Every structure is written in structure tokens, then in C-alpha cells.
Amino acid sequence: MLVPVAYGLAVVLVLFVVFIGARFLTAPQAAAAGYGVPAKPDGDAAYLEIKGLRDLTLGLIGLALIVFAGAHAAAWYMLVATVAPLGDTLIVLRNGGTRAVAFGIHFATAVIVLASAALLFAV
């Protein structure tokens, strides 16, 4: 029972990162607003696209690890990847975003990613 849950949560999380990356590439202003720190309409396009490409790449790396390297490698990936939503929490707080977004989206994501890592380590 643990194996499908561990892999299922991991796949959902990495596909969500792929989605976020694609959204930053296709609708950067909307994605930035959803992130919690709206972008300036006249100067942030390249940086938003960079974020999109990085998220898309990191999500695909996670998916490749899950599919081709197994639970242990994916667990380490998830553990290390927790740095991103923890950093996002701080970025939102330091740049005028709300505490609700910082903790309700980004910090909560970090907790879920850590739980995913723990489940994968247990497999």
C-alpha cells in the first residue's frame, strides 16, 4: 500500500512543477501573480521565462528519477528540492506577498515535498 502512495504523491508533485514551469513560459504575468509576488509589466519577462524553464526542467528531472532511477534517488531529489518552496516562502515574505500565500502555498508545499521524500525513503 505504501509504494503506490509514495510514487503517486511524487509523480503528482513533479507534474505540478512541470505545470508551473509551463505556466511561467506561457502566461508569465499570471503565473507571477499566482506565485504571490506580481511582476512588473514592463521589465520582468525574461526572468519569469527563466523561472519557467528552470521549473519545467526540474520537474522533468524529478520525473526521470522516479521512472528510471527508483524510489531512493527520487527521495533524495525530493529532499533537496524542498529548498525551492522554502526559499519561495522567504521570497514572498520579503517582497510584499501575503503571509497566507507564503505559508499556505509555499511552506505547505515544502512540507508535502518532505512527506513525499519520507515516503519514498520508506519504500
Side-chain angles (χ1 to χ4, degrees), residues 8-23:
L9 179 59
V11 168
V12 167
L13 289 170
V14 297
L15 289 177
F16 187 62
V17 173
V18 168
F19 168 77
I20 290 169
R23 186 166 185 231

PDB file of all heavy atoms in Angstrom, residues 8-23:
ATOM      1  N   GLY A   8       2.836   7.767  -6.214  1.00  0.00           N
ATOM      2  CA  GLY A   8       1.739   8.626  -6.673  1.00  0.00           C
ATOM      3  C   GLY A   8       1.925  10.072  -6.250  1.00  0.00           C
ATOM      4  O   GLY A   8       1.784  10.995  -7.064  1.00  0.00           O
ATOM      5  N   LEU A   9       2.255  10.286  -4.980  1.00  0.00           N
ATOM      6  CA  LEU A   9       2.474  11.651  -4.498  1.00  0.00           C
ATOM      7  C   LEU A   9       3.660  12.282  -5.209  1.00  0.00           C
ATOM      8  O   LEU A   9       3.600  13.441  -5.633  1.00  0.00           O
ATOM      9  CB  LEU A   9       2.691  11.649  -2.981  1.00  0.00           C
ATOM     10  CG  LEU A   9       2.954  13.011  -2.343  1.00  0.00           C
ATOM     11  CD1 LEU A   9       1.804  13.981  -2.602  1.00  0.00           C
ATOM     12  CD2 LEU A   9       3.193  12.846  -0.841  1.00  0.00           C
ATOM     13  N   ALA A  10       4.728  11.535  -5.371  1.00  0.00           N
ATOM     14  CA  ALA A  10       5.916  12.066  -6.044  1.00  0.00           C
ATOM     15  C   ALA A  10       5.606  12.465  -7.484  1.00  0.00           C
ATOM     16  O   ALA A  10       6.015  13.538  -7.946  1.00  0.00           O
ATOM     17  CB  ALA A  10       7.049  11.046  -6.003  1.00  0.00           C
ATOM     18  N   VAL A  11       4.875  11.627  -8.188  1.00  0.00           N
ATOM     19  CA  VAL A  11       4.528  11.941  -9.580  1.00  0.00           C
ATOM     20  C   VAL A  11       3.642  13.184  -9.650  1.00  0.00           C
ATOM     21  O   VAL A  11       3.867  14.075 -10.474  1.00  0.00           O
ATOM     22  CB  VAL A  11       3.847  10.731 -10.267  1.00  0.00           C
ATOM     23  CG1 VAL A  11       3.225  11.129 -11.596  1.00  0.00           C
ATOM     24  CG2 VAL A  11       4.859   9.611 -10.466  1.00  0.00           C
ATOM     25  N   VAL A  12       2.669  13.272  -8.782  1.00  0.00           N
ATOM     26  CA  VAL A  12       1.793  14.454  -8.757  1.00  0.00           C
ATOM     27  C   VAL A  12       2.621  15.720  -8.503  1.00  0.00           C
ATOM     28  O   VAL A  12       2.440  16.742  -9.176  1.00  0.00           O
ATOM     29  CB  VAL A  12       0.672  14.303  -7.710  1.00  0.00           C
ATOM     30  CG1 VAL A  12      -0.029  15.623  -7.443  1.00  0.00           C
ATOM     31  CG2 VAL A  12      -0.328  13.252  -8.164  1.00  0.00           C
ATOM     32  N   LEU A  13       3.536  15.653  -7.561  1.00  0.00           N
ATOM     33  CA  LEU A  13       4.357  16.828  -7.239  1.00  0.00           C
ATOM     34  C   LEU A  13       5.238  17.255  -8.403  1.00  0.00           C
ATOM     35  O   LEU A  13       5.306  18.441  -8.732  1.00  0.00           O
ATOM     36  CB  LEU A  13       5.199  16.557  -5.994  1.00  0.00           C
ATOM     37  CG  LEU A  13       4.424  16.506  -4.681  1.00  0.00           C
ATOM     38  CD1 LEU A  13       5.310  15.992  -3.553  1.00  0.00           C
ATOM     39  CD2 LEU A  13       3.847  17.864  -4.331  1.00  0.00           C
ATOM     40  N   VAL A  14       5.923  16.311  -9.043  1.00  0.00           N
ATOM     41  CA  VAL A  14       6.804  16.711 -10.145  1.00  0.00           C
ATOM     42  C   VAL A  14       6.004  17.175 -11.358  1.00  0.00           C
ATOM     43  O   VAL A  14       6.427  18.096 -12.060  1.00  0.00           O
ATOM     44  CB  VAL A  14       7.844  15.631 -10.518  1.00  0.00           C
ATOM     45  CG1 VAL A  14       8.779  15.364  -9.355  1.00  0.00           C
ATOM     46  CG2 VAL A  14       7.225  14.376 -11.029  1.00  0.00           C
ATOM     47  N   LEU A  15       4.842  16.580 -11.598  1.00  0.00           N
ATOM     48  CA  LEU A  15       3.999  17.070 -12.695  1.00  0.00           C
ATOM     49  C   LEU A  15       3.472  18.470 -12.399  1.00  0.00           C
ATOM     50  O   LEU A  15       3.314  19.286 -13.310  1.00  0.00           O
ATOM     51  CB  LEU A  15       2.852  16.098 -12.975  1.00  0.00           C
ATOM     52  CG  LEU A  15       3.258  14.787 -13.632  1.00  0.00           C
ATOM     53  CD1 LEU A  15       2.034  13.871 -13.790  1.00  0.00           C
ATOM     54  CD2 LEU A  15       3.939  15.018 -14.973  1.00  0.00           C
ATOM     55  N   PHE A  16       3.225  18.750 -11.128  1.00  0.00           N
ATOM     56  CA  PHE A  16       2.798  20.095 -10.746  1.00  0.00           C
ATOM     57  C   PHE A  16       3.916  21.106 -11.016  1.00  0.00           C
ATOM     58  O   PHE A  16       3.659  22.203 -11.511  1.00  0.00           O
ATOM     59  CB  PHE A  16       2.374  20.118  -9.275  1.00  0.00           C
ATOM     60  CG  PHE A  16       1.765  21.424  -8.852  1.00  0.00           C
ATOM     61  CD1 PHE A  16       0.598  21.884  -9.434  1.00  0.00           C
ATOM     62  CD2 PHE A  16       2.363  22.190  -7.866  1.00  0.00           C
ATOM     63  CE1 PHE A  16       0.034  23.086  -9.057  1.00  0.00           C
ATOM     64  CE2 PHE A  16       1.810  23.391  -7.470  1.00  0.00           C
ATOM     65  CZ  PHE A  16       0.641  23.846  -8.069  1.00  0.00           C
ATOM     66  N   VAL A  17       5.164  20.730 -10.750  1.00  0.00           N
ATOM     67  CA  VAL A  17       6.292  21.617 -11.043  1.00  0.00           C
ATOM     68  C   VAL A  17       6.422  21.828 -12.552  1.00  0.00           C
ATOM     69  O   VAL A  17       6.686  22.937 -13.015  1.00  0.00           O
ATOM     70  CB  VAL A  17       7.600  21.077 -10.425  1.00  0.00           C
ATOM     71  CG1 VAL A  17       8.802  21.907 -10.868  1.00  0.00           C
ATOM     72  CG2 VAL A  17       7.501  21.065  -8.910  1.00  0.00           C
ATOM     73  N   VAL A  18       6.210  20.773 -13.335  1.00  0.00           N
ATOM     74  CA  VAL A  18       6.214  20.906 -14.796  1.00  0.00           C
ATOM     75  C   VAL A  18       5.123  21.888 -15.229  1.00  0.00           C
ATOM     76  O   VAL A  18       5.362  22.771 -16.057  1.00  0.00           O
ATOM     77  CB  VAL A  18       6.023  19.531 -15.480  1.00  0.00           C
ATOM     78  CG1 VAL A  18       5.733  19.692 -16.967  1.00  0.00           C
ATOM     79  CG2 VAL A  18       7.252  18.655 -15.270  1.00  0.00           C
ATOM     80  N   PHE A  19       3.936  21.755 -14.652  1.00  0.00           N
ATOM     81  CA  PHE A  19       2.835  22.672 -14.964  1.00  0.00           C
ATOM     82  C   PHE A  19       3.195  24.109 -14.620  1.00  0.00           C
ATOM     83  O   PHE A  19       2.955  25.026 -15.407  1.00  0.00           O
ATOM     84  CB  PHE A  19       1.563  22.245 -14.216  1.00  0.00           C
ATOM     85  CG  PHE A  19       0.473  23.277 -14.251  1.00  0.00           C
ATOM     86  CD1 PHE A  19      -0.300  23.454 -15.387  1.00  0.00           C
ATOM     87  CD2 PHE A  19       0.246  24.097 -13.155  1.00  0.00           C
ATOM     88  CE1 PHE A  19      -1.295  24.427 -15.433  1.00  0.00           C
ATOM     89  CE2 PHE A  19      -0.740  25.067 -13.192  1.00  0.00           C
ATOM     90  CZ  PHE A  19      -1.518  25.234 -14.335  1.00  0.00           C
ATOM     91  N   ILE A  20       3.774  24.321 -13.440  1.00  0.00           N
ATOM     92  CA  ILE A  20       4.156  25.675 -13.030  1.00  0.00           C
ATOM     93  C   ILE A  20       5.173  26.243 -14.012  1.00  0.00           C
ATOM     94  O   ILE A  20       5.074  27.403 -14.427  1.00  0.00           O
ATOM     95  CB  ILE A  20       4.703  25.676 -11.590  1.00  0.00           C
ATOM     96  CG1 ILE A  20       3.576  25.389 -10.594  1.00  0.00           C
ATOM     97  CG2 ILE A  20       5.374  27.013 -11.260  1.00  0.00           C
ATOM     98  CD1 ILE A  20       4.046  25.115  -9.187  1.00  0.00           C
ATOM     99  N   GLY A  21       6.153  25.432 -14.389  1.00  0.00           N
ATOM    100  CA  GLY A  21       7.137  25.891 -15.358  1.00  0.00           C
ATOM    101  C   GLY A  21       6.499  26.272 -16.678  1.00  0.00           C
ATOM    102  O   GLY A  21       6.794  27.327 -17.243  1.00  0.00           O
ATOM    103  N   ALA A  22       5.604  25.432 -17.160  1.00  0.00           N
ATOM    104  CA  ALA A  22       4.922  25.727 -18.427  1.00  0.00           C
ATOM    105  C   ALA A  22       4.085  26.993 -18.311  1.00  0.00           C
ATOM    106  O   ALA A  22       4.021  27.797 -19.251  1.00  0.00           O
ATOM    107  CB  ALA A  22       4.053  24.542 -18.831  1.00  0.00           C
ATOM    108  N   ARG A  23       3.473  27.186 -17.153  1.00  0.00           N
ATOM    109  CA  ARG A  23       2.650  28.386 -16.960  1.00  0.00           C
ATOM    110  C   ARG A  23       3.515  29.641 -16.966  1.00  0.00           C
ATOM    111  O   ARG A  23       3.123  30.668 -17.528  1.00  0.00           O
ATOM    112  CB  ARG A  23       1.862  28.283 -15.656  1.00  0.00           C
ATOM    113  CG  ARG A  23       0.884  29.415 -15.478  1.00  0.00           C
ATOM    114  CD  ARG A  23      -0.112  29.130 -14.375  1.00  0.00           C
ATOM    115  NE  ARG A  23      -1.105  30.175 -14.323  1.00  0.00           N
ATOM    116  CZ  ARG A  23      -1.440  30.818 -13.216  1.00  0.00           C
ATOM    117  NH1 ARG A  23      -0.879  30.501 -12.067  1.00  0.00           N
ATOM    118  NH2 ARG A  23      -2.351  31.763 -13.243  1.00  0.00           N
TER     119      ARG A  23
END
